[in-house]
């Protein structure tokens, strides 16, 4: 059995070899950002076999997948020292309107990551199965975004319009690039060692 550090390296390399853009932080593999392109992922999913049970992704769900289709999100990933025996922390950096994603922090509420994680899973499962499943099948009964959950249950048409509005406003590659440029500009403006408190919440840092 490979060591946790070796497994971490292998899983990140598998992401990169599967055409995911991975931006490492502080030149390490414990913390990084991944570009999650829904347009290329959701339409290609049909059936995935995971630990003797099938999770269905069928082309009959075009309407649901269409809500987020075309969106591009930067997803923050933190791997604990015990990975893969402990689950990764996953959070959306740019905004997404979804019942199971906290709008402010980007934290994700997904049982397979938060409660049912197994070392048999890897990062490719997260981005090719678990997150697409989250977008296809939002669970309004266990929300992190109460407004999204309430709107989804009470007025599905308005909920879908709100999802598309967020996708158009926040989930385009040009929006992410512009945000990154603004962040770099802000960093250059900081002088004399002054910075924000370390206790401030950073978008995209999900709770494990």
């Amino acid at each position: 059995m490979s060591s946790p550090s070796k497994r971490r390296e292998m899983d990140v390399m598998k992401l990169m070899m599967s055409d995911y853009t991975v931006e490492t932080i502080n030149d390490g593999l414990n913390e990084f950002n991944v570009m999650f392109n829904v347009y290329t992922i959701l339409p290609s999913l049909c059936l995935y076999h995971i630990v003797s049970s099938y999770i269905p992704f069928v082309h009959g769900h075009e309407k649901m997948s269409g809500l987020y289709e075309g969106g591009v999100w930067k997803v923050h990933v933190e791997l604990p020292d015990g990975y893969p025996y402990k689950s990764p922390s996953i959070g959306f950096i740019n905004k997404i309107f979804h019942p199971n994603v906290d709008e402010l922090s980007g934290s994700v509420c997904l049982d397979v990551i938060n409660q049912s994680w197994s070392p048999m899973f890897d990062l490719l499962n997260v981005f090719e199965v678990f997150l697409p499943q989250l977008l296809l099948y939002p669970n309004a009964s266990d929300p992190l975004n109460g407004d999204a959950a309430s709107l989804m249950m009470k007025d599905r048409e308005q909920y879908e319009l709100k999802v598309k509005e967020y996708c158009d406003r926040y989930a385009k590659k040009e929006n992410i690039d512009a945000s990154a440029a603004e962040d770099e500009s802000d960093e250059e403006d900081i002088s004399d060692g002054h910075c924000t408190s370390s206790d401030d919440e950073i978008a995209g840092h999900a709770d494990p």
Side-chain angles (χ1 to χ4, degrees), residues 36 68 73-78 87-117 125-127 129-139 142-145 201-208:
F36 178 52
Y68 298 96
W73 282 271
K74 184 177 287 190
V75 177
H76 185 82
V77 180
E78 290 187 31
S87 64
S89 295
I90 306 294
F92 288 83
I93 293 180
N94 47 322
K95 288 186 178 182
I96 181 171
F97 192 73
H98 190 288
N100 308 116
V101 181
D102 187 277
E103 185 173 354
L104 294 178
S105 70
S107 300
V108 173
C109 178
L110 188 59
D111 285 347
V112 72
I113 294 177
N114 298 332
Q115 298 177 15
S116 307
W117 179 262
N125 291 138
V126 171
F127 286 94
V129 181
F130 303 149
L131 289 183
Q133 181 190 25
L134 182 77
L135 299 187
L136 281 168
Y137 306 107
N139 180 8
D142 186 23
L144 281 179
N145 185 333
E201 186 173 33
I202 301 174
H205 285 238
D207 295 328

Side-chain angles (χ1 to χ4, degrees), residues 154-168:
K154 294 179 180 179
D155 191 334
R156 188 53 177 260
E157 183 177 352
Q158 287 300 314
Y159 167 76
E160 293 181 0
L161 289 174
K162 190 76 170 180
V163 169
K164 297 299 291 183
E165 177 189 339
Y166 268 57
C167 288
D168 291 339

Side-chain angles (χ1 to χ4, degrees):
M1 183 179 295
S2 60
S3 66
S5 60
K6 185 66 175 179
R7 170 64 185 273
R8 183 182 298 112
E9 180 180 344
M10 289 173 56
D11 284 3
V12 174
M13 287 301 299
K14 281 174 65 177
L15 271 183
M16 293 178 175
M17 293 175 65
S18 299
D19 294 330
Y20 288 91
T21 300
V22 178
E23 304 172 350
T24 59
I25 298 175
N26 298 325
D27 297 324
L29 295 180
N30 289 335
E31 187 177 1
F32 49 88
N33 299 324
V34 179
M35 297 300 290
F36 178 52
N37 189 331
V38 177
Y39 179 79
T40 59
I41 295 174
L42 284 177
S44 66
L45 286 170
C46 185
L47 287 174
Y48 261 85
H49 188 229
I50 308 177
V51 194
S52 75
S53 64
Y54 281 97
I55 297 178
F57 291 94
V58 296
H59 294 293
H61 288 275
E62 291 93 346
K63 185 175 182 182
M64 179 62 71
S65 66
L67 294 181
Y68 298 96
E69 185 174 337
V72 180
W73 282 271
K74 184 177 287 190
V75 177
H76 185 82
V77 180
E78 290 187 31
L79 301 182
D81 291 339
Y83 179 86
Y85 303 100
K86 293 184 178 180
S87 64
S89 295
I90 306 294
F92 288 83
I93 293 180
N94 47 322
K95 288 186 178 182
I96 181 171
F97 192 73
H98 190 288
N100 308 116
V101 181
D102 187 277
E103 185 173 354
L104 294 178
S105 70
S107 300
V108 173
C109 178
L110 188 59
D111 285 347
V112 72
I113 294 177
N114 298 332
Q115 298 177 15
S116 307
W117 179 262
S118 163
M120 297 180 67
F121 301 143
D122 61 20
L123 296 174
L124 208 55
N125 291 138
V126 171
F127 286 94
E128 294 200 345
V129 181
F130 303 149
L131 289 183
Q133 181 190 25
L134 182 77
L135 299 187
L136 281 168
Y137 306 107
N139 180 8
S141 64
D142 186 23
L144 281 179
N145 185 333
D147 290 341
S150 177
L151 190 61
M152 177 182 168
M153 291 187 292
K154 294 179 180 179
D155 191 334
R156 188 53 177 260
E157 183 177 352
Q158 287 300 314
Y159 167 76
E160 293 181 0
L161 289 174
K162 190 76 170 180
V163 169
K164 297 299 291 183
E165 177 189 339
Y166 268 57
C167 288
D168 291 339
R169 182 179 297 183
Y170 303 111
K172 302 298 181 184
K173 189 176 186 304
E174 53 268 27
N175 297 337
I176 298 175
D177 293 340
S179 178
E182 289 178 4
D183 290 343
E184 290 179 3
S185 177
D186 290 342
E187 290 177 3
E188 291 175 358
D189 290 340
I190 296 174
S191 60
D192 300 327
H194 294 292
C195 61
T196 57
S197 169
S198 60
D199 293 331
D200 290 345
E201 186 173 33
I202 301 174
H205 285 238
D207 295 328

